[in-house]
Structures are given as C-alpha cells and as structure tokens.
Amino acid sequence: MFKCAAIVASLSVLSLETYSQTAITPEVLQMLQQTVQPQDKVVRNALAGTSISVLATDASTLSAVDDHFTYRVPNKGITDQASSGRCWLFTTMNVLRSKAINNHNLKGLELSCNYLFFYDQLEKSNLFLQGIIDTRQKADDDRMVDWLFQNPLSDGGTFCGGADLVQKYGVVPYDVMPDNYQSNNTRDIDMLLKWKLREMGLSCYGQSL
C-alpha cells in the first residue's frame, strides 16, 4: 500500500502532456515505479505512523514573528482552561484581570476560575432541582420533564452568566482557590453530577413538597 502511495506521489515528476496522452498501462506503472527513490522509504515509514498534516508542517515558520496586526493587546501571562468547558469563565476572568492590571498598574494577576465554577455548578444544580419541584405533578413523558432530565446541567456557559456569578459571589485570586484535576477535566465530574441530579429528581416525582 505504501509503495502505491509513493507511486501516486511520483506522478508529479511526469509532465502533464505525458500523463494526459497515456493510459494507465503496465508500461506506465513500470515507469512510475522507476521514479521511486531509495530515500522515499523514509517518507513511507513516516506516513505509516504519522498524520500527513503533522508531516506537512514547516517547523521553520513556527518561530516567525507575526506582524500582521495594527494593534497589539499587552498581556501579562496567559491562562489555560485545560480539558474543561470553562472557556466562558476564562473569558470573563481575563476581561476583569486585564482591567485590574491596567487600573492598578500590577505586574500580573490571575483570578480563580475554579472558585466561580463551583458556584456555577451549585446554581445550575439548584435550578434543575427547582425545575423538578415545579413539574413534579406532570407526566414523565411531558416535554419539559424530558428536557430537564436530558439537560440537568453542563460545564458550558456564557459571558453574561459569568458576569452574574461575579456580581453575586465576587472573585478571588487564583492562589486562594487554584485549579485541580477535576476543574481541569470536567467531563467526569459533569457526568457524575448529572447522574446524581437525575436520581434526586426521580425520587421527587409524585411527592407533595
């Protein structure tokens, strides 16, 4: 298979005129095979275990200075949401920390996204349970009930949601409540919270609260 790939790649050495006037005959295939060079083995080996997009990367361009901007926003450190869906919180915190750094002439500042993420999940859990209470007398195939159990909560959000959390709970520096494994990898904790909320929701239906 990899030899065929090398043969196809070798088409580039043939003139368009030659290729357009020649059917793919055994003679043409033999001619293509003869264009394969010994160094092509390195290419075949690389293709066997590496993405073509990676192999096609020109490493010399990675360190080039990008000067295609009229305005540059000064920054004092970057933040990393890791493997979580908290991009909306990081956006909110970065807007606030930029203002704080500029207004108070700070050398640097990072605000805790983990702190507000805790309250975000608390608020969403409470909102789900309130929805369960409000619909507890409805049939289990009701559209609203179905939607609630399909979407108890998530780690996603919006800038407006982040602003609401800041207004209610304030902010703290990163050092006060730094990220941990769960906040950096929200998939598992998100799944467990959904299971627990659904369990609590199911126990609520049919009850007079």
Side-chain angles (χ1 to χ4, degrees):
M1 182 177 73
F2 301 115
K3 187 173 183 180
C4 291
I7 292 174
V8 172
S10 68
L11 287 172
S12 60
V13 304
L14 300 178
S15 68
L16 181 60
E17 180 180 359
T18 300
Y19 180 72
S20 63
Q21 295 179 358
T22 307
I24 301 179
T25 62
E27 290 75 20
V28 171
L29 290 177
Q30 183 178 8
M31 180 173 59
L32 291 173
Q33 288 178 331
Q34 292 174 351
T35 66
V36 178
Q37 302 297 318
Q39 59 267 29
D40 292 338
K41 181 178 180 181
V42 176
V43 177
R44 294 199 303 270
N45 290 340
L47 286 170
T50 309
S51 166
I52 292 178
S53 60
V54 173
L55 293 175
T57 300
D58 184 354
S60 65
T61 65
L62 299 179
S63 60
V65 176
D66 185 356
D67 57 359
H68 300 293
F69 294 92
T70 304
Y71 302 101
R72 291 187 177 276
V73 178
N75 68 80
K76 297 185 178 181
I78 61 174
T79 54
D80 182 8
Q81 73 182 74
S83 298
S84 71
R86 302 173 297 158
C87 54
W88 57 284
L89 265 181
F90 275 77
T91 300
T92 306
M93 294 296 96
N94 284 334
V95 169
L96 292 178
R97 80 184 188 114
S98 176
K99 290 289 186 180
I101 289 173
N102 291 330
N103 291 345
H104 301 284
N105 196 27
L106 302 175
K107 293 183 178 180
L109 173 68
E110 185 172 353
L111 300 174
S112 173
C113 288
N114 194 17
Y115 169 77
L116 285 184
F117 185 64
F118 169 81
Y119 287 110
D120 169 69
Q121 298 295 281
L122 182 64
E123 290 281 355
K124 288 176 178 174
S125 297
N126 182 67
L127 184 63
F128 166 79
L129 294 174
Q130 185 60 56
I132 295 298
I133 293 173
D134 293 341
T135 61
R136 65 186 184 279
Q137 299 301 331
K138 293 182 179 292
D140 56 9
D141 60 351
D142 180 83
R143 293 291 296 275
M144 176 59 73
V145 173
D146 180 69
W147 185 88
L148 284 169
F149 277 96
Q150 286 289 334
N151 306 277
L153 86 173
S154 73
D155 57 0
T158 64
F159 180 85
C160 293
D164 289 340
L165 289 169
V166 171
Q167 287 186 326
K168 185 172 183 177
Y169 297 104
V171 296
V172 298
Y174 180 86
D175 293 341
V176 173
M177 192 169 178
D179 280 335
N180 53 39
Y181 180 85
Q182 300 302 334
S183 64
N184 282 333
N185 301 271
T186 53
R187 180 178 179 180
D188 289 344
I189 191 66
D190 184 63
M191 179 180 63
L192 292 174
L193 281 174
K194 287 179 179 178
W195 284 350
K196 189 62 180 177
L197 288 171
R198 288 174 179 137
E199 177 185 334
M200 297 172 68
L202 287 172
S203 66
C204 174
Y205 274 102
Q207 298 184 18
S208 299
L209 301 179

